[in-house]
Amino acid sequence: MFNVSRNNKRLAAPNRTLFGRLFAWSLKWFDRLVAVDFVLFTVAMVWKLYFFSTLLSVQYMDMTRTDKIIETGAVLLLACWTLLLPTRGRLLALIALNLILSFLLYSDVIYYRYFQDLITVPVLLQLGQVESLGGSISSLLSAYDFWLFADMIFILPYAVFVIWKGRKTLREAKSARQLSWVKPLARIGSGLAAFAIGFMLFAVNLNNATDTWAKGLFEKNYWNLTIYNVAGGLGFHGYDIYRYAKVNWFGAETVTAEQKSETEQWIEELGNRRGRLESDPLFGAYAGSNVLMVQVESLQSFMIGASIGGREITPVLNDLIKESAYFDNFYHQTAQGRTSDADFATSCSMQPLKSGSVFIQYASHDFDCLPETLKNNGYSANVFHPYQGGFWNRNVMYGHMDYDQFYSLKHFELDERLGWALGDKSFYRQSMDYIAKRDAGVPFYAFLISLTSHHPYKLPKASQKLDVEELEGTMMGDYLQSVHYADAALGELIARMKADGLWENTIFALYGDHDSSITDWSLYDRFIDDTASPLAQEQTIKKVPFLIHLPDGAYAGSRDTVGGQLDTTPTLLHLLGISSSRSYMLGMPLLTASDDTKRLVVQRDGSWTDGEMHYLPSEDGLPANGRCYKNADGSLLDTASCAAKTAEAELQLMMSDRIVMGDLLPAFKKNGAVEAIQMSGEK
Ligand code: GP9
Ligand code: MN
């Protein structure tokens, strides 16, 4: 019956079935009308991106009309080049793009359900190091998600047809009509048109957003989800690739061999200085104690001891500092990375970046951070913060810092909604419940990061316990209320530690992360004497409380030793008797029996204080225009009096940048190991 040759049989095949005929017919039309398949692809992708947004359903982030326009623009930009290809190549490219995007969005959905974040290039490159999804993967899957792949039922067989029969079908179609010069022109024209339309829809709308409500989005760069909210799914991934390439390929810090060894010598000398302090009787006086450290959101020193409406703002802390070593000359050292900078400066004793956040940009680089050091010395190490784990890239960074577990928002029951998420009182209570379940055989390190006293400090009336007098209705008034609440929550935390029998065997440390961002100086009138003095303003903004309650209550009282967040980890290691002479850190211990350490507290903008002088650089960056103050009376000195230390501060910032951006520690440690082997005579 089928008396045809083998070859003829193959040629006739497309017309044998209904699908075969349909496929061949569609291919001919896709060939004739260049843009039909492209339009279908665009519609399908925009729908998938919309569906993706509903799967994520990030709070307060619903897809608006503008978002759909931005997504359409992004799809056009992503795929416009396919219009330059001949029909078969274009179809295969569009199908491949569809598959890649569908898998990317699907992976994002799964990753989001676990980490409340989107996948980034560093995460993809270091999948093994990120906290694994463990056995929970099945709970993250939903049959509903497969709508992302619904079109594949038609597209995949079609792709097989295009690969297998496409060339011949197109040849037939072409021989049936005249080939002309119109075709290549149509390709170029439609490609350019798609690019132009895509660019307008995407860039113009994105620009509008970043010029208005999303100002500074890409500079601050603090949360992938915010970037997604503005730039869309494709925009976010495009930006992420750009961000990765910029940091790792185009803007990578190149440090010459000479600079490397100069930096190594410089930082090792700091280790030697700490090593020399280790003969101090306080070194190791609290060896084996647990450590519980709290980073309090926006808590500033000018709150300590202050009252309003006849009540103390921080009664708990005021009492606690009487039985703790309290540093009232302590500075936060944060820059654009805000909370993440405070965390990094404190835990890893390195300077933050001039722009951006180490947590986001250099999470994969090696640092000597407190959790890892303590774990190497037999401790457990856990970090607690009741917000989305993707914020400030914490999921990734905390994995690299070697914490056993990061307890983020999803680990807490939202039984006290306050401020951004969970109120401090419930946060501390639930964190202590986790701590109570620890392995009692090893000492613990717990790092708790509070959140309620976060900008804009609005608390419901029922939680406002102070009479803030003339500050009622101002941001300062709200700030005082939220600090008062945070203080009361700390009181409950301390009571709980006592009830759990932890107060006598735990070093309790506490510090404020950064300033309150309140810049209206008239609101500070009742807290500082001279609100117009640049030095008073600087010190008010930069000073945060730091206290250490030792298990036996020793070293209690206020101390005016100047220090900063970079000194926190060296201080704790000193008390625990863990040598930091071979650790790569910039800070010095603050609490030593004989405190004669010369310390320079350097800010990211180049300002510094050594306790006696305070230097503020000028906006134009010229050293001669900087202001050199005498701390004692605020008088201005000749800039030359500050010159040597200004150079020292600049050196510290430069060395820190080389290490942080150039990831120099692995090489230093290797050299150190070689040195140690050589000294012990091994070959
Ligand atoms: C959110 C919190 C706030 O997780 O850490 O960060 P901030 O805005 O203060 O940098
Ligand atoms: Mn903060």
Side-chain angles (χ1 to χ4, degrees):
M1 222 172 134
F2 292 99
N3 189 15
V4 281
S5 72
R6 214 174 130 70
N7 262 354
N8 284 346
K9 208 165 154 189
R10 215 184 292 149
L11 291 177
N15 298 326
R16 272 216 317 248
T17 63
L18 175 66
F19 278 124
R21 278 202 299 276
L22 211 62
F23 282 172
W25 175 81
S26 66
L27 191 53
K28 282 172 200 158
W29 276 99
F30 287 150
D31 183 45
R32 239 164 254 174
L33 297 172
V34 173
V36 172
D37 48 342
F38 185 83
V39 171
L40 285 176
F41 168 85
T42 306
V43 171
M45 288 306 103
V46 173
W47 181 83
K48 283 188 190 197
L49 286 157
Y50 168 73
F51 181 60
F52 170 72
S53 78
T54 64
L55 288 178
L56 294 191
S57 69
V58 185
Q59 215 185 353
Y60 313 121
M61 292 188 193
D62 294 328
M63 216 188 201
T64 61
R65 215 188 95 235
T66 320
D67 294 327
K68 283 177 201 135
I69 294 174
I70 285 186
E71 293 287 28
T72 309
V75 172
L76 292 178
L77 283 178
L78 179 84
C80 60
W81 58 274
T82 63
L83 287 166
L84 303 176
L85 302 174
T87 308
R88 197 157 160 261
R90 184 181 72 238
L91 282 168
L92 292 176
L94 289 175
I95 291 169
L97 276 181
N98 185 338
L99 260 177
I100 293 169
L101 281 183
S102 306
F103 272 109
L104 178 67
L105 297 181
Y106 184 59
S107 316
D108 269 336
V109 169
I110 306 293
Y111 189 79
Y112 177 81
R113 285 190 187 132
Y114 195 78
F115 291 110
Q116 296 75 55
D117 201 357
L118 298 176
I119 293 182
T120 57
V121 177
V123 167
L124 276 179
L125 297 179
Q126 293 145 37
L127 270 184
Q129 289 177 48
V130 180
E131 185 193 349
S132 87
L133 297 182
S136 56
I137 186 99
S138 56
S139 66
L140 306 173
L141 307 177
S142 154
Y144 190 60
D145 305 340
F146 283 93
W147 281 108
L148 276 173
F149 298 98
D151 52 350
M152 291 301 153
I153 298 170
F154 304 100
I155 286 177
L156 289 182
Y158 193 64
V160 173
F161 173 81
V162 174
I163 294 169
W164 192 31
K165 305 278 185 193
R167 185 170 293 150
K168 193 211 154 258
T169 312
L170 287 171
R171 215 182 299 128
E172 275 174 2
K174 269 169 200 155
S175 61
R177 66 187 149 82
Q178 207 56 30
L179 260 185
S180 75
W181 50 269
V182 177
K183 199 61 182 298
L185 265 194
R187 278 191 213 150
I188 296 171
S190 54
L192 285 177
F195 176 81
I197 296 170
F199 185 80
M200 267 166 45
L201 297 183
F202 183 77
V204 171
N205 282 289
L206 187 68
N207 241 9
N208 280 347
T210 50
D211 276 352
T212 53
W213 64 274
K215 227 181 180 68
L217 173 77
F218 294 106
E219 289 77 54
K220 289 182 194 145
N221 190 355
Y222 53 91
W223 198 14
N224 293 331
L225 290 178
T226 330
I227 294 172
Y228 160 68
N229 187 30
V230 180
L234 294 188
F236 165 72
H237 284 294
Y239 172 72
D240 176 50
I241 293 169
Y242 159 79
R243 173 172 69 181
Y244 182 82
K246 192 170 150 224
V247 167
N248 292 282
W249 303 331
F250 308 125
E253 180 80 347
T254 40
V255 186
T256 64
E258 201 180 316
Q259 289 171 334
K260 238 180 229 173
S261 77
E262 179 194 26
T263 312
E264 188 173 8
Q265 272 178 24
W266 179 85
I267 195 164
E268 286 183 356
E269 177 44 33
L270 293 179
N272 294 339
R273 270 174 63 190
R274 284 192 302 270
R276 288 195 285 275
L277 290 169
E278 291 173 2
S279 55
D280 174 48
L282 199 52
F283 179 76
Y286 297 91
S289 299
N290 303 311
V291 179
L292 193 148
M293 181 149 73
V294 189
Q295 174 174 298
V296 185
E297 177 61 42
S298 306
L299 180 64
Q300 295 207 250
S301 297
F302 73 92
M303 288 288 89
I304 305 297
S307 294
I308 196 158
R311 290 177 71 180
E312 291 173 87
I313 298 167
T314 58
V316 171
L317 290 175
N318 297 347
D319 281 348
L320 185 61
I321 62 179
K322 290 182 198 138
E323 43 177 283
S324 311
Y326 173 63
F327 296 86
D328 62 6
N329 225 345
F330 186 83
Y331 290 79
H332 77 79
Q333 290 173 289
T334 70
Q336 281 184 354
R338 303 290 283 168
T339 304
S340 70
D341 280 354
D343 194 338
F344 178 68
T346 302
S347 304
C348 309
S349 191
M350 282 280 157
Q351 285 285 352
L353 296 173
K354 198 171 192 168
S355 82
S357 155
V358 179
F359 268 40
I360 305 253
Q361 296 183 47
Y362 299 106
S364 64
H365 288 188
D366 190 23
F367 307 107
D368 276 349
C369 306
L370 184 60
E372 186 179 353
T373 308
L374 290 180
K375 280 188 69 184
N376 290 340
N377 285 275
Y379 278 70
S380 65
N382 291 288
V383 53
F384 304 80
H385 178 60
Y387 201 59
Q388 309 255 15
F391 204 93
W392 286 127
N393 201 25
R394 285 185 173 105
N395 283 324
V396 176
M397 184 65 180
Y398 287 158
H400 286 292
M401 287 167 85
D402 214 18
Y403 281 108
D404 294 313
Q405 172 82 51
F406 167 30
Y407 294 89
S408 64
L409 184 61
K410 67 177 182 179
H411 295 89
F412 295 90
E413 194 190 324
L414 247 182
D415 55 6
E416 186 199 3
R417 278 180 183 275
L418 218 50
W420 275 29
L422 181 66
D424 288 355
K425 289 184 181 177
S426 174
F427 165 60
Y428 293 143
R429 180 174 40 74
Q430 294 186 56
S431 301
M432 289 310 294
D433 290 345
Y434 281 120
I435 292 170
K437 291 189 198 121
R438 73 193 180 278
D439 170 4
V442 294
F444 74 81
Y445 168 51
F447 182 42
L448 280 61
I449 304 163
S450 85
L451 184 59
T452 305
S453 43
H454 195 286
H455 189 272
Y457 315 114
K458 284 254 177 258
L459 290 187
K461 268 271 169 277
S463 303
Q464 300 182 9
K465 305 282 187 215
L466 290 175
D467 166 12
V468 292
E469 301 183 0
E470 83 283 1
L471 294 174
E472 183 68 48
T474 66
M475 185 175 279
M476 182 62 87
D478 293 339
Y479 175 65
L480 304 188
Q481 299 284 11
S482 72
V483 168
H484 187 64
Y485 166 85
D487 178 79
L490 286 165
E492 292 188 8
L493 170 65
I494 292 162
R496 172 71 185 266
M497 286 178 70
K498 288 181 178 165
D500 286 2
L502 292 174
W503 198 242
E504 283 76 34
N505 55 22
T506 302
I507 296 177
F508 177 82
L510 175 150
Y511 64 93
D513 66 348
H514 50 68
D515 61 274
S516 63
S517 315
I518 300 174
T519 47
D520 177 353
W521 286 99
S522 68
L523 298 174
Y524 287 84
D525 274 346
R526 61 154 66 224
F527 302 110
I528 55 174
D529 292 337
D530 186 0
T531 49
S533 144
L535 181 63
Q537 289 182 352
E538 171 76 2
Q539 295 189 336
T540 307
I541 288 290
K542 293 282 167 61
K543 277 191 193 182
V544 291
F546 176 48
L547 67 82
I548 303 177
H549 181 272
L550 292 167
D552 58 359
Y555 290 87
S558 286
R559 332 172 72 76
D560 62 4
T561 316
V562 69
Q565 287 167 333
L566 266 61
D567 300 313
T568 309
T569 286
T571 305
L572 291 171
L573 294 179
H574 188 83
L575 295 167
L576 296 172
I578 297 172
S579 175
S580 63
S581 64
R582 297 188 77 86
S583 299
Y584 295 95
M585 303 190 293
L586 305 187
M588 288 288 144
L590 284 175
L591 198 58
T592 55
S594 50
D595 182 26
D596 55 2
T597 320
K598 290 268 166 289
R599 227 175 268 98
L600 195 64
V601 179
V602 179
Q603 297 289 340
R604 186 62 255 196
D605 63 0
S607 62
W608 58 262
T609 179
D610 60 356
E612 279 161 26
M613 291 188 289
H614 203 128
Y615 174 77
L616 301 181
S618 70
E619 275 86 34
D620 61 14
L622 296 174
N625 296 339
R627 279 161 297 178
C628 180
Y629 291 95
K630 191 169 154 196
N631 241 345
D633 56 8
S635 60
L636 263 176
L637 301 170
D638 185 356
T639 318
S641 324
C642 278
K645 293 207 166 166
T646 301
E648 204 183 312
E650 276 164 12
L651 187 70
Q652 182 184 119
L653 291 167
M654 182 181 77
M655 293 299 189
S656 182
D657 282 349
R658 279 184 191 168
I659 293 169
V660 171
M661 296 156 91
D663 197 17
L664 301 188
L665 294 198
F668 293 174
K669 287 177 184 171
K670 221 171 159 191
N671 294 348
V674 172
E675 227 170 79
I677 289 173
Q678 280 166 355
M679 278 173 67
S680 70
E682 285 176 45
K683 295 265 146 58

